[in-house]
Each structure stands twice: as structure tokens, then as C-alpha cells.
Amino acid sequence: MSQDKEEIGSVNTVPSPYDDAMDALSSLITKRSRADKSNNGDRFDILFDYIKMLELEEPIKQMKVIHVAGTKGKGSTCTFTESILRSYGFHTGLFTSPHLIDVRERFRLDGSDICEEKFLEYFWWCWDRLKEKTSDEVPMPTYFRFLALLAFKIFAAERVDVVILEVGLGGKFDATNVVESPVVCGIASLGYDHMEILGNTLGQITGEKAGIFKSGVPAFTVPQPDEAMAVLVQKASELGVNLQEAEHLRPSDLHLGLEGEHQYINAGLAVALCSTWLQRTGHVGMNNLNQNTPVPEKFIRGLATASLQGRAQIVPDHLIESESPGDLVFYLDGAHSPESMDACAKWFCLATKENRSPSYNQSYNDAKGSHKSGKNPIQILLFNCMSVRDPQLLLPRLINACASHGVHFKKALFVPNTSVYYKVGTALPTDDAQVDVSWQMTLQKVWKSLNVREKGRDPENAKLENSTVFTSLPLAINWLRDSVRKNQSVRFQVLVTGSLHLVGDSLRLIK
């Protein structure tokens, strides 16, 4: 190879140490197998072998853990919980999933993603030991299990005061469930998701989530469907778990850092978890919080300053913003279950209504002053969901909830996720003409069937080609940018939802 060719390639092709780690991590990704009794929870017990190899048995026993499962709201609950305890001055460790842009988002120390230097140090420490000690009988851990083990190593080495663990999937056989005596457990809202792995009835799904209950460890939950609550109560009584329903906070009580009315349920759960953690670890906590007890100042501060990427997030497009501020604004929410579609729709409608949302970030607040009053706001949907989910359940919920608030999408764009599930990294792959968009065509068909009804309500819609399938997300975003530039009389308000992966990919492109 000639020298100049080598130099040309060197800009993009010489992998960084971080790329090497991402390649190693990607090699652990497998197709999810169903963890159930027939295969001993996908060999759940093997996790204890890994913990021995990494000499983490004693450190994990010493950790003061808050463990949270649930179908929706568990990430928000963990975020509120971490923020509250950090406002008390505790050194916090938070493990969540999935990540949106960078895998380091999953490991937060004192509210910030772990730095690259520390990440690489702990990553290779774990990787090298496991590579050396695993065998055919005990092979390398799968992707999520490795990440959970890495989290335990990070939190042990960094000597955090509190570890907040968000369950990855289910509960009973989740890698985070190697913790045998947490300080307190929480179960966020339950519903239907990952049925291909967890079971087909709400009772079965709840049984998996309740697998994080530990004998004698207090647990809190939120209002649940009757079938789910019955299973939680039964599992709790079998284990001697004191299960309580957390007090529901009200919008009149305090302001939350995460947008959406449903967040008050998650915040209430976080308050109960923190209060119990403070009491059980010998710190000054609160006696059972009820309507007559004011929420302490540090709790209020923690709830108000919590932040979570990709949940009810508003981001102006960085390119259009410099040309005509506020003309292309993305509203991103990783909702991917029927119930969360309702919450997402409600938030989007309130946030776009006359642009009066308190959640607008500063750059958008600055931009608002530049709106030309004559510009007509148009709502557009940018959507994808995983093929294991049922668009017949998701799209109608979204459309109907928006319509009930007077919002009708003028157009829907369907795209495949850009980040490929078998590869972890921060670079977006280049466009590929061979992309399979058959699933996106299916989504479009569902959309068209719904829109026949919509057109009856709003004849204006009949004039529009109201859905398009793009072979890649960059093409869809470029189409939006071009449309805004060509039509100076409109502003686009784009709701990005259906998949956290889609939200993460979009954030990379628009920020």
C-alpha cells in the first residue's frame, strides 16, 4: 500500500482504544434467548462464577443497593432516586439501560457518565480476567451480563455510597439480580412488553419482575392493574416482604426535572425508595411520607434537577437553528409501549401548544423570540419500533391521544434504526442501498389505514402525501431540513418516538 493511501485511510480507519473496546463488547452480543425455568434462567447461576472470577463477591455484599424493575418508568424512577441522594451529598453510582449514544451513559458516577479513561481501565480489567478464566463450560458472559458485571466493578472500585440498579429485562433472571440483599426494592408501572421473553399474560410478566423481591427487604410499587397487583402482593407475602404503595405526588406539590404528568408517579416511587434507604442505612430520613408531611428541601432539589436523555426531550436542529431559529424542532421520547404512547402524546401536545412548554431548553427559549408570527406550525411524526412490538397497538394509541388534544400529524416518516443491534459504537454507519425496509412498509400500511379515518375529520389532509418510508434516518432528516428551507411559511415540530434506539440515533444527527 502506498504511503499516501495509508495516510488517507488513517483519519478514519485507525481504531482508537475506545473503538477496540467497543469491538470487543460487540463480540458478546447474541440473540436473546428466553430465560426461564427450562434453561435455568439462561444459566443464571453462571453469573456467580463470573463474580468469583472478578473477585466481586465481597464488594457486592457491601453495596447499599436500590433495585428497581418495571415495564415503564423504571429509568425515570432511578434517575430521580440518584438525583435526590446526590443532593444529600452521597457519592452515587447509577446503572441503567439502554444507552442512547454512548455505552458509557449506562454507568453514572455522581450524575455524570463515567469518563472514557476510567471506563477503559475497568473494561479491560474485567475483560482480561474473564478471557483468561472462562472456558467451554463457562464461556464469556453475554453482552448485558458483561455490562452488569462491569457496573459492579466500577461501583466497587469507585467506592460509591449508594448503588441504584435498573433491571435490564424482567427481574428474576436479570443480571442485576445477583444482589442478594438490597436495601430496598421498587416496582415501577407494569404493562405488556418483551412478551417473547417474559410471557404473554400480565400475571406472568409481573411474576418475572417480582423476582427481585428478597426476603425481609422492604419494597414499594405504584398503582398497578389488578392482575399485576395481585401477583405482587402474593409474591411479597410468600417472601415476607413488606410491600407498600408509594404516595402519589401531585403537580401542585413541586416541580420535576423530567416532563410529563406520568412522572409524578415515578417521582413518588423515588421519594419512597430514598426515604427508606436513608432510614435503613442509618441516615436521617423521613418517617412515612404522607400528605401531611412536607417533602424535604433536598428531595425537592433532587426531583427538580433530575435529567434523562431521550425522555420528553426538546432539541432544535443544529443546522436549521443557525439559519432560521425554531423552524425545525425535534420532540424526542423513547416511548415504546401502548401506555407510554399515551403519556408521550399528551406531553407532545402540551409542549407544542402555542410553544409555551416550560421544558424548552435554553437555546430554544432564545430561539422563540425569533419566530415570525405568521409561521404555521406543522406536526410531523418520525417513527420506528422493533418488529417484536405490535404497531396496531402503538400507532392508534398515539394518533387517538394526539387527536383528543387537537393535534393531527400532517405526515409520518418511517425509518429503520441506524445503529445496528450487533454493533456497539458511536459512529453512524454509511447509507446502504440494500437496507431492508419491509418492516417500515408494514408500519406505513398501519398508518395509512388509520389515516383513512383521520381524513374524514380533516379534509386538508387529503391534499398531502401523508407518509414516506426512507431507507435511512439521515435521509429523513435531510428531507426535513430541505422542506423547511423550501417552505419559509412553516415551522416543523417533529415527534420522534417508538424506539429508544431511534431517539439515540436522531440525537447524534441533530445535536
Side-chain angles (χ1 to χ4, degrees), residues 236-264:
S237 73
E238 285 167 11
L239 285 167
V241 166
N242 177 16
L243 174 68
Q244 297 177 61
E245 196 174 305
E247 192 70 39
H248 188 155
L249 299 177
R250 284 166 186 78
S252 56
D253 299 341
L254 70 183
H255 169 71
L256 302 181
L258 305 184
E259 282 297 318
E261 223 172 89
H262 59 290
Q263 292 295 2
Y264 284 88

Side-chain angles (χ1 to χ4, degrees), residues 114-371:
I114 187 170
C115 69
E116 200 170 295
E117 188 184 348
K118 280 183 177 178
F119 174 83
L120 288 172
E121 179 193 335
Y122 297 131
F123 179 92
W124 290 117
W125 189 94
C126 292
W127 182 272
D128 294 342
R129 269 162 190 73
L130 290 169
K131 269 291 180 199
E132 183 191 326
K133 297 180 179 180
T134 47
S135 61
D136 290 346
E137 285 74 49
V138 182
M140 280 292 281
T142 50
Y143 174 71
F144 184 79
R145 288 178 172 183
F146 180 86
L147 293 176
L149 294 162
L150 175 56
F152 289 124
K153 173 61 188 172
I154 290 168
F155 299 149
E158 293 290 321
R159 301 180 170 217
V160 299
D161 300 319
V162 56
V163 171
I164 299 124
L165 296 176
E166 178 190 353
V167 165
L169 178 67
K172 185 175 185 180
F173 296 123
D174 187 73
T176 60
N177 208 29
V178 295
V179 173
E180 292 175 319
S181 51
V183 176
V184 61
C185 294
I187 306 278
S189 299
L190 295 167
Y192 293 96
D193 201 9
H194 298 296
M195 286 133 77
E196 77 284 5
I197 294 172
L198 300 178
N200 291 318
T201 69
L202 196 52
Q204 283 175 312
I205 291 169
T206 305
E208 289 291 324
K209 311 278 187 191
I212 69 166
F213 287 167
K214 304 292 185 305
S215 181
V217 174
F220 288 88
T221 190
V222 298
Q224 303 284 9
D226 293 346
E227 185 187 352
M229 193 62 97
V231 173
L232 290 179
V233 168
Q234 180 202 336
K235 297 277 181 192
S237 73
E238 285 167 11
L239 285 167
V241 166
N242 177 16
L243 174 68
Q244 297 177 61
E245 196 174 305
E247 192 70 39
H248 188 155
L249 299 177
R250 284 166 186 78
S252 56
D253 299 341
L254 70 183
H255 169 71
L256 302 181
L258 305 184
E259 282 297 318
E261 223 172 89
H262 59 290
Q263 292 295 2
Y264 284 88
I265 295 171
N266 301 326
L269 180 55
V271 165
L273 294 172
C274 291
S275 168
T276 304
W277 187 89
L278 288 165
Q279 286 167 8
R280 295 198 79 213
T281 53
H283 298 94
V284 180
M286 301 180 298
N287 295 323
N288 291 333
L289 192 80
N290 58 48
Q291 279 136 332
N292 310 320
T293 326
V295 180
E297 183 54 44
K298 284 173 180 161
F299 276 67
I300 291 170
R301 188 163 73 237
L303 292 169
T305 55
S307 68
L308 189 56
Q309 273 209 116
R311 275 42 163 228
Q313 188 176 2
I314 301 173
V315 182
D317 179 64
H318 73 101
L319 277 184
I320 295 297
E321 197 62 13
S322 59
E323 301 165 19
S324 49
D327 280 4
L328 178 56
V329 178
F330 291 87
Y331 297 75
L332 305 109
D333 191 273
H336 51 266
S337 70
E339 299 85 356
S340 55
M341 282 289 138
D342 288 341
C344 167
K346 192 168 184 184
W347 162 73
F348 177 67
C349 294
L350 290 171
T352 52
K353 192 178 179 185
E354 297 174 37
N355 293 344
R356 282 201 316 255
S357 168
S359 70
Y360 275 20
N361 56 27
Q362 195 51 49
S363 62
Y364 194 52
N365 272 325
D366 298 342
K368 277 198 297 182
S370 327
H371 285 154

Side-chain angles (χ1 to χ4, degrees), residues 37-100:
K37 286 179 188 137
S38 67
N39 62 3
N40 297 315
D42 202 12
R43 293 183 70 192
F44 179 76
D45 287 346
I46 205 173
L47 280 158
F48 295 100
D49 295 328
Y50 300 137
I51 286 168
K52 276 200 184 85
M53 292 173 191
L54 297 173
E55 297 167 14
L56 286 171
E57 295 153 291
E58 206 45 48
I60 289 174
K61 280 189 186 130
Q62 301 298 323
M63 288 177 187
K64 295 181 170 66
V65 173
I66 296 174
H67 201 187
V68 183
T71 306
K72 54 191 193 302
K74 61 183 188 289
S76 301
T77 299
C78 289
T79 300
F80 282 130
T81 301
E82 186 280 330
S83 190
I84 290 169
L85 292 175
R86 181 159 38 91
S87 77
Y88 269 87
F90 291 109
H91 181 23
T92 61
L94 170 63
F95 177 60
T96 60
S97 58
H99 63 273
L100 291 183

Side-chain angles (χ1 to χ4, degrees), residues 437-465:
V437 289
S438 53
W439 174 246
Q440 285 66 40
M441 306 293 259
T442 303
L443 297 176
Q444 187 183 35
K445 271 193 196 127
V446 175
W447 173 263
K448 283 180 170 171
S449 69
L450 291 167
N451 251 307
V452 171
R453 296 203 297 258
E454 276 285 282
K455 279 180 185 170
R457 290 189 200 135
D458 182 3
E460 276 297 296
N461 276 349
K463 296 176 193 166
L464 285 150
E465 168 53 47

